[in-house]
Amino acid sequence: MPSQSVAGSQEERLKAERLRGLDREITCDVPVLLDPLIRAHHRGPGDPTHRRLGPGHWLRASLTPEGPVLLRLAAAGAMVAARAWGPGAEWALDQLPMLLGAADDPSGFEPRPEHEALVQAHRRIGAGLRVGRSERVWEALAPACLEQVVTGTEAFRAFRLLVREFGEPAPGPATDPESAAYGMRVPPPAHVWAKIPSWRFLAAGVEQRRSATLVRAAGRATALERSLELDGQAAGTALRSLPGIGGWTSAEVRQRAHGDADAWSIYDYHVAKHITYALVGEPLDDAACLEILEPYRGHRYRVQLLLTLAGPRKPRRGPRMSLPTHTPYATKGRS
């Protein structure tokens, strides 16, 4: 009986610690621009895995090698205060400097004088801008598969619906109706994504081409995590070896999971036009953008990020991409 009482008290103590969370402060060598660092992982309005509480103040739910975690991050200058809940709390806090860009090396990057927009963007925010590294390859790849060849609105909606249905509640205060984290969910692991029925993908607006790519990739999720040990080019080759994973998807993953400052979003519907408009004054295609970005090799995603945050915007004169009308989600089940 006494041993059962001791065991019960230990369980209660551990439960209380999980609810209270673990705290840590990280001091970086430059002021932390937390919003662009975390927004890179944020998948649009209503994303149940991320929530912005205010400038430089975020909640992030993730699935670590040790289990789920809920992170609360608040930046003030070069210091970030973090609290983490769940089995993955210690892993997430140990990894946090990487997420904040500690492994990113901007040395050698210098805007060319003729690229005035980039010069100005770098002058305004470049000193504190870092490319973060989440070290969660599958967590970056699954939503990137959903975002292939569709509008952001469609992709974000699909991700939101599927994570709400198949992800588990985030740890700690995410189940407390009084908490700002209430309702947040952890993205599903690969084996759960792999078992989602095709009709559930269709109901979320994801056609067979994208869902098949995601499900095939889920079978290689463990091997894909090992790409973190490779350099950018080799990691890109490993990702593109999977059917359905091309240059754009590979770049989107490497930007987030690997912290690859060179992995610009080639073949994106908008990015090449936006970069070339900012740098040379006219929207051009991917081939032209590659040529213009060549002097910045090693930092091409850094160029994209700087221009996205502080560069001039290309006028929107072209036709908008229309949303599909044939999926079960679009037709509300009508045949």
Side-chain angles (χ1 to χ4, degrees):
M1 235 3 226
S3 61
Q4 290 180 351
S5 177
V6 170
S9 63
Q10 288 176 338
E11 287 183 9
E12 290 175 4
R13 186 175 69 254
L14 289 172
K15 182 179 179 181
E17 288 177 355
R18 285 195 296 269
L19 290 173
R20 185 171 63 248
L22 301 176
D23 293 309
R24 193 170 300 181
E25 288 187 354
I26 305 290
T27 301
C28 302
D29 57 354
V30 293
V32 177
L33 300 179
L34 190 65
D35 285 340
L37 280 165
I38 303 302
R39 192 172 280 119
H41 307 278
H42 181 230
R43 305 290 178 167
D47 177 359
T49 68
H50 288 81
R51 192 166 292 169
R52 188 174 185 262
L53 304 181
H57 193 185
W58 285 82
L59 290 164
R60 166 176 164 82
S62 180
L63 186 61
T64 79
E66 304 299 323
V69 65
L70 177 66
L71 271 176
R72 187 176 70 201
L73 304 172
M79 192 272 287
V80 175
R83 174 170 286 188
W85 296 268
E90 287 195 22
W91 187 95
L93 292 174
D94 289 343
Q95 195 274 337
L96 183 56
M98 297 294 103
L99 186 67
L100 299 177
D104 182 31
D105 182 10
S107 62
F109 173 70
E110 190 66 37
R112 296 167 71 93
E114 64 268 28
H115 295 153
E116 180 62 22
L118 186 59
V119 171
Q120 293 300 325
H122 188 248
R123 187 173 297 156
R124 287 176 55 192
I125 60 175
L129 185 67
R130 292 291 183 270
V131 179
R133 175 184 169 97
S134 73
E135 300 184 326
R136 307 307 301 135
V137 176
W138 175 253
E139 203 163 277
L141 179 57
C145 289
L146 297 177
E147 292 169 11
Q148 292 177 343
V149 301
V150 295
T151 65
T153 299
E154 294 170 85
F156 295 154
R157 181 183 62 207
F159 181 75
R160 180 173 68 247
L161 292 171
L162 291 167
V163 171
R164 284 179 178 170
E165 182 171 359
F166 297 101
E168 65 176 88
T175 55
D176 179 2
E178 302 298 319
S179 171
Y182 182 64
M184 292 187 68
R185 302 186 79 81
V186 176
H191 72 270
V192 172
W193 282 107
K195 293 179 181 177
I196 296 176
S198 59
W199 65 271
R200 290 306 305 144
F201 278 115
L202 284 171
V206 182
E207 82 289 351
Q208 196 270 341
R209 171 185 170 181
R210 287 183 290 150
S211 63
T213 297
L214 192 156
V215 169
R216 280 194 302 265
R220 298 283 295 160
T222 300
L224 289 172
E225 299 295 337
R226 294 197 288 271
S227 69
L228 293 168
E229 303 168 6
L230 306 175
D231 63 26
Q233 184 172 354
T237 300
L239 288 163
R240 293 194 305 274
S241 69
L242 295 175
I245 306 297
W248 180 87
T249 307
S250 167
E252 294 292 306
V253 173
R254 282 154 43 222
Q255 291 165 11
R256 295 166 172 84
H258 300 74
D260 188 346
D262 197 46
W264 77 285
S265 301
I266 190 170
Y267 309 130
D268 188 274
Y269 185 74
H270 300 288
V271 170
K273 296 181 180 69
H274 172 56
I275 291 175
T276 55
Y277 177 81
L279 295 183
V280 301
E282 60 178 316
L284 302 172
D285 62 13
D286 289 281
C289 193
L290 272 171
E291 185 176 346
I292 292 166
L293 286 175
E294 182 57 31
Y296 300 111
R297 180 175 288 275
H299 299 278
R300 290 176 292 183
Y301 175 55
R302 195 182 313 280
V303 172
Q304 175 186 330
L305 195 53
L306 282 167
L307 294 175
T308 298
L309 294 172
R313 306 300 301 179
K314 180 179 73 71
R316 291 178 176 266
R317 298 196 183 101
R320 290 178 178 268
M321 292 182 69
S322 59
L323 298 177
T325 59
H326 62 280
T327 65
Y329 184 90
T331 61
K332 306 301 181 187
R334 298 186 300 271
S335 59

